[in-house]
Amino acid sequence: MLRVTLLGLAVLPLLGAALLRRRWAVYLLALAIPLKTLDVAVAASHPFDLPELALLVVCGHFAVGVWNRRSLRLDRSTTVAYAFAFAVVALLTVLSLAVRPANVLVHPYDVATGFGAFELARLSFTSTNVTQLFLRWFVVGGAVVLALTMTRREVRVVTRWVVLSAVLVGLFGVAYQASVLLDAGLADALHLLGFRRFPASPSVVGPLPRMYSFTGEPGATASYLLYALAIVTPLALSNRANDVFRRGEAVVAGVVLFVLLVLTTGTTGYGGFAVFVAVLVGTTLVVETVPTRRVLALSVAGVVVSVVGGVALLVVSGVDVTSMLAYQLGKLTFSEGSGSLRVQYLRYAFELVSVRPLLGLGVGTHQTTSLFGTILVETGVVGLALFVGYHLRAFRDCAMLETDSASDRPLAVALAVGGLTLFLTLLVARSASALQLPWYWFAVALPLAYTGSAVRDSSRDS
């Protein structure tokens, strides 16, 4: 049975218009990036959100272009080869599972991950394996298709929107936190319009409620804010932000995003910020687009401000500062809370992969709290190497892009830093559901698209 939500009725005409023009489809998908929790329709008990439907429209335009032998931009790059090889390996793992499943206990996808939910079942071939296989193909292939259909101008437009929409997402998250404190019922009103209901969650950082937003739960929201911050910061430091943003826009957005990231109460954001600093410093040492001193000074200032500000907030609210900081540090070092849970799942993942180390147990067999553990168990060492190589090669090629245009290099580095920061954070701190985040698709697609368009323009000029 098909059921269309209230806001779904409003966006259906937009999806119809996107079917007419490729550029409209790309921009609609970009517009839908933060609207991960907006379900357009529900069919066969599965909610279809706006980003998923928009990506399907983009893939449709690409298929039509291939059929008509136009707008076909199949770059013969190592990155695309890695992605295709990973898709093949994923298929082989499912076929192997169907023929000869391993005699092991796994954590099924229909069982929730969490404290007290480490339930195991005998491995067997089910429809979930086929569903998850198609999902892997959809997200990996969809990101590549999106990259192959985007122009350089569209990359710039989408990059600016990613940053500005992240600011809007964070500000709404603050409004949600205020509504919880005031018992205003904002979440109930959004649910009536078609957004997924935000569950009530206790505070984890002093008096602050957990920050839910259009992007979902605090960890997902923090990952989006982190990705936007990781893009805008290198651009602002390179003094080339005006090539993408309006005057002063990047600096203001960067400061606001940093404050909002602290307010998310999500350990994903706090740990991800440390990853961002490491990636930014490392990239700066290799690629000379941003002054190293400026990066180091900003990194130190960011850490100091976040720690001092957090301690001040806890002191003012009367919270035991020592115990709260110890708890947050324990989560970041995988010894407390969700951090210790990830270690539990990861240890068992290493036990399982030892049964079939090369190709793993099969896609859709074992759900963990980390994307790394899931890919390792399900596709083995070969699949994990291809999956990680696919991402690292895309970011490396973008960061090392050689171009004659002075405005191209800073944006290329910014897209690489943003993509690598998000990928490393999701790889450790998020489950396989992270592959369904729209900003993850663009984190891969934007560097690929920008590198590919630059290479094509260079070959055309020569």
Side-chain angles (χ1 to χ4, degrees):
M1 181 177 179
L2 176 66
R3 178 176 64 85
V4 181
T5 64
L6 185 61
L7 280 180
L9 292 173
V11 301
L12 282 177
L14 296 178
L15 287 168
L19 290 170
L20 303 177
R21 293 286 189 275
R22 178 205 57 81
R23 186 175 69 248
W24 295 354
V26 171
Y27 286 152
L28 176 61
L29 177 55
L31 184 68
I33 293 176
L35 302 179
K36 176 58 183 171
T37 60
L38 174 57
D39 293 330
V40 175
V42 179
S45 300
H46 176 74
F48 289 90
D49 56 54
L50 181 58
E52 288 176 345
L53 296 177
L55 182 58
L56 282 173
V57 174
V58 172
C59 292
H61 280 288
F62 181 78
V64 171
V66 173
W67 180 263
N68 295 330
R69 297 183 179 181
R70 58 179 173 80
S71 67
L72 181 59
R73 302 168 179 173
L74 289 178
D75 302 329
R76 296 179 180 178
S77 67
T78 306
T79 305
V80 177
Y82 278 140
F84 179 77
F86 175 75
V88 173
V89 168
L91 173 61
L92 293 177
T93 65
V94 173
L95 293 177
S96 175
L97 172 65
V99 175
R100 188 171 61 89
N103 185 24
V104 294
L105 296 176
V106 295
H107 187 267
Y109 272 69
D110 56 353
V111 176
T113 57
F115 295 102
F118 197 73
E119 301 178 17
L120 301 177
R122 185 67 57 186
L123 176 62
S124 62
F125 178 77
T126 66
S127 60
T128 301
N129 304 113
V130 179
T131 302
Q132 289 297 319
L133 173 64
F134 280 107
L135 182 61
R136 299 290 192 279
W137 284 352
F138 176 67
V139 296
V140 174
V144 172
V145 167
L146 178 61
L148 296 177
T149 58
M150 293 181 69
T151 63
R152 187 182 306 194
R153 180 180 181 278
E154 290 166 354
V155 170
R156 294 178 180 271
V157 172
V158 171
T159 299
R160 180 170 179 262
W161 169 245
V162 164
V163 173
L164 297 184
S165 64
V167 173
L168 297 178
V169 164
L171 292 177
F172 176 83
V174 172
Y176 170 79
Q177 290 174 314
S179 73
V180 172
L181 293 174
L182 300 174
D183 196 20
L186 180 59
D188 294 333
L190 289 174
H191 182 64
L192 292 176
L193 294 176
F195 287 91
R196 297 169 195 169
R197 184 178 296 278
F198 302 148
S201 300
S203 171
V204 293
V205 179
L208 285 179
R210 304 192 72 197
M211 181 190 283
Y212 285 82
S213 189
F214 300 124
T215 45
E217 47 86 22
T221 300
S223 70
Y224 188 37
L225 299 180
L226 174 70
Y227 174 51
L229 178 64
I231 290 178
V232 73
T233 302
L235 275 176
L237 292 175
S238 67
N239 295 324
R240 301 294 308 191
N242 292 341
D243 296 328
V244 179
F245 300 91
R246 295 175 182 174
R247 185 178 181 85
E249 201 173 52
V251 175
V252 174
V255 173
V256 173
L257 284 171
F258 174 74
V259 174
L260 293 173
L261 184 65
V262 174
L263 294 176
T264 58
T265 73
T267 312
T268 299
Y270 303 155
F273 182 75
V275 173
F276 164 56
V277 171
V279 170
L280 181 60
V281 172
T283 305
T284 303
L285 295 176
V286 177
V287 183
E288 298 179 358
T289 57
V290 181
T292 305
R293 289 184 178 179
R294 194 178 299 177
V295 170
L296 294 175
L298 182 67
S299 301
V300 172
V303 173
V304 171
V305 169
S306 59
V307 172
V308 173
V311 171
L313 175 64
L314 295 175
V315 171
V316 171
S317 59
V319 177
D320 186 345
V321 177
T322 304
S323 61
M324 179 58 67
L325 291 180
Y327 177 71
Q328 291 296 328
L329 184 61
K331 292 179 67 177
L332 291 173
T333 55
F334 306 103
S335 60
E336 293 283 351
S338 59
S340 61
L341 182 68
R342 298 187 196 285
V343 172
Q344 179 185 6
Y345 276 97
L346 196 57
R347 285 175 179 170
Y348 192 63
F350 282 115
E351 292 181 18
L352 289 178
V353 78
S354 64
V355 178
R356 291 184 178 177
L358 291 181
L359 295 180
L361 303 180
V363 171
T365 56
H366 184 68
Q367 184 185 25
T368 73
T369 55
S370 73
L371 180 59
F372 174 87
T374 299
I375 299 297
L376 177 63
V377 171
E378 295 185 345
T379 60
V381 176
V382 174
L384 179 64
L386 291 172
F387 183 76
V388 174
Y390 153 61
H391 291 83
L392 295 186
R393 187 57 188 257
F395 304 141
R396 180 260 182 195
D397 288 349
C398 191
M400 304 300 292
L401 178 65
E402 296 182 1
T403 175
D404 296 330
S405 175
S407 62
D408 285 345
R409 192 68 181 273
L411 179 55
V413 172
L415 294 176
V417 169
L420 182 57
T421 297
L422 180 65
F423 173 66
L424 294 178
T425 302
L426 297 180
L427 195 64
V428 177
R430 308 296 297 172
S431 66
S433 61
L435 298 178
Q436 302 174 49
L437 299 176
W439 49 97
Y440 160 75
W441 306 339
F442 277 96
V444 178
L446 290 177
L448 276 175
Y450 205 64
T451 304
S453 62
V455 171
R456 287 190 294 271
D457 292 345
S458 177
S459 61
R460 189 183 302 118
D461 295 338
S462 59

